[in-house]
Amino acid sequence: MALDTNWVSAWLTAGAAAIGEHKQELNTLDREIGDGDHGENMDRGLRASVDALGKLPADATPNAALRSVAMTLISTVGGASGPLYGTAFLKAAEPVGDRTEIDGATLVALLTAARDGIVSRGKAEPGDKTMVDAWTPAVDAAAAAEASGASPAEILSAAADAAEQGAIATEPLVARKGRASYLGERSAGHRDPGSQSTALLLRAAAEAAG
Ligand code: ADP
Ligand code: MG
């Protein structure tokens, strides 16, 4: 599929399905090192995003669709992750401009802007055991794939693979940001829930493009 407004809708629809399917798993991860609501938060936000996308005019641009998702996530997810994912989608829309179709280079710019938005909002660095630990390898893998001539679907698949590995790699880390940081050393040995939801959302983006 070309990366157009229909792709944004297909992405969020697949993302809502994946988050819904893994809701309890995300809650459990968050119960271990947080307050147990990450699955609920994300499930509510993704469902609302799909509803909001369904109400956009038929000629809405990908930029408008991404901004609609951003606003919906900010207003419905709550917690730490709502503003972070909301900022990610808001910033992701910027490099898209008024394009009706997103090419490989723009896709890398979109993912980079999303990650940079999360970092500027939450001030987490790689290794702090947050969603940044899934986004950063994803952006690096996307850029490498694009540089080697990969298609947008292949770029997204490389990003999703790297995000999954990044999420696994949060397990031994000690949290330095967010609620999990209150646990100090006891946060080690658990996967960060936000890195796991990031991996699910990037996999959904790849599936929607394939
Ligand atoms: P809350 O912690 O308010 O209950 P959620 O449970 O929905 O919110 O989200 C928790 C996730 O948010 C964490 O797993 C982590 O990935 C992410 N997170 C928390 N703080 C930050 C931060 N400062 N920067 C990046 N990600 C963060
Ligand atoms: Mg929580």
Side-chain angles (χ1 to χ4, degrees), residues 30 35-38 41 179:
D30 194 32
D35 59 355
D37 63 357
H38 189 61
N41 291 343
R179 220 176 265 284

Side-chain angles (χ1 to χ4, degrees), residues 40 47 49 64 66-68 100 109 124 131 134 136 142 146 155 157 160 172 176 184 186 205:
E40 295 300 335
R47 283 165 186 269
S49 297
L66 291 165
R67 282 187 293 111
S68 159
T100 53
M131 59 174 76
T136 296
E146 199 271 329
I155 292 170
S157 212
R176 286 193 291 256
R186 281 184 292 135

